[in-house]
Amino acid sequence: MTSIAIIGAGTGLGAAVARRFGAEGFTVGLISRHQGRLDALAAELAEDGVQAQGFAADVRDPSSLARALEQVTEALGPIEVLQYSPLPQKDFMRPVLETTPADLVGPVEFSIYGPVAAVHQVLPGMRFLGKDRGTILFVNGGSAVTPGRTVTGTSVAFAGQAAYAQLLHEVLGEEGIQVSQLIIGGRIISGDPEKDPDVLAGHLWDLHTKRDRFRHQVSAD
């Protein structure tokens, strides 16, 4: 049995993805900063028949993120799918003329250093699984493709993450490892036919199974 590790797991999209992949036989490693919330989410998922376990880590601390991913493998099986989808902090989103060099440290650590650390940790195991098995999924906001003057930190950092994902897609695709990104414009809203978490989880499942796609973009607004 293989696992999906969801970095930034919460009660919205993270839970929906856990249920979608869990229904297909994946065990689920839930990663965020708060162990108590992770334990509560794992218990909720268990009621739906999903085997999940929480592992606390801070995406701005590469060593803690690597440890959590190692623990997922040890507890739940090899990581076949990695999803990187933590929500950025509000203080990352400053107007461009008010953004100092120090203001960009957090967004870059969050959206670039974190993904790089996560990929380096899971890649050997994905290679061990064999060709056409591993998948790396990035989820970020519309400023990854259309920068916003009032959200400078995420605009800069998401664009860097998107570039990293594109490069990974080109290189790892040669090994049969799928790298894709889901870009969501606006808020995730339950009941919205485009942005409902269950619908978005379906898009991520399609990106995992339809291995020739790099990007799926939900309507930007």
Side-chain angles (χ1 to χ4, degrees), residues 6 13 17 25 32 42 62 86 97 130 132 134-135 138 172 183 200 215:
I6 303 172
L13 180 60
V17 170
S32 73
L97 296 181
D132 296 329
T135 297
F138 295 97
L172 293 179
I183 296 176
L200 296 173
R215 176 181 292 166

Side-chain angles (χ1 to χ4, degrees), residues 2-160:
T2 57
S3 64
I4 174 173
I6 303 172
I7 298 175
T11 57
L13 180 60
V17 170
R19 292 188 178 95
R20 182 68 180 88
F21 280 76
E24 301 293 338
F26 282 83
T27 56
V28 182
L30 308 166
I31 298 175
S32 73
R33 289 183 296 170
H34 304 287
Q35 188 65 51
R37 295 177 189 174
L38 291 170
D39 292 343
L41 179 55
E44 180 183 319
L45 291 168
E47 295 178 359
D48 296 328
V50 177
Q51 182 183 349
Q53 187 172 338
F55 305 87
D58 184 347
V59 299
R60 294 176 63 180
D61 179 350
S63 61
S64 83
L65 189 54
R67 282 195 304 272
L69 290 166
E70 184 177 14
Q71 290 169 343
V72 172
T73 299
E74 292 172 349
L76 300 174
I79 296 172
E80 182 172 352
V81 180
L82 171 71
Q83 177 176 310
Y84 193 91
S85 54
L87 288 174
Q89 297 170 208
K90 290 183 179 179
D91 61 2
F92 292 171
M93 304 177 199
R94 297 181 185 276
V96 63
L97 296 181
E98 298 175 16
T99 300
T100 68
D103 292 326
L104 292 177
V105 172
V108 169
E109 289 177 339
F110 190 90
S111 294
I112 299 178
Y113 294 174
V116 172
V119 168
H120 276 269
Q121 181 63 33
V122 303
L123 192 53
M126 288 184 177
R127 285 172 167 151
F128 182 78
L129 289 173
K131 191 172 176 62
D132 296 329
R133 291 291 302 277
T135 297
I136 299 168
L137 300 169
F138 295 97
V139 180
N140 48 31
S143 59
V145 290
T146 305
R149 65 177 69 184
T150 61
V151 289
T152 306
T154 56
S155 295
V156 171
F158 279 177

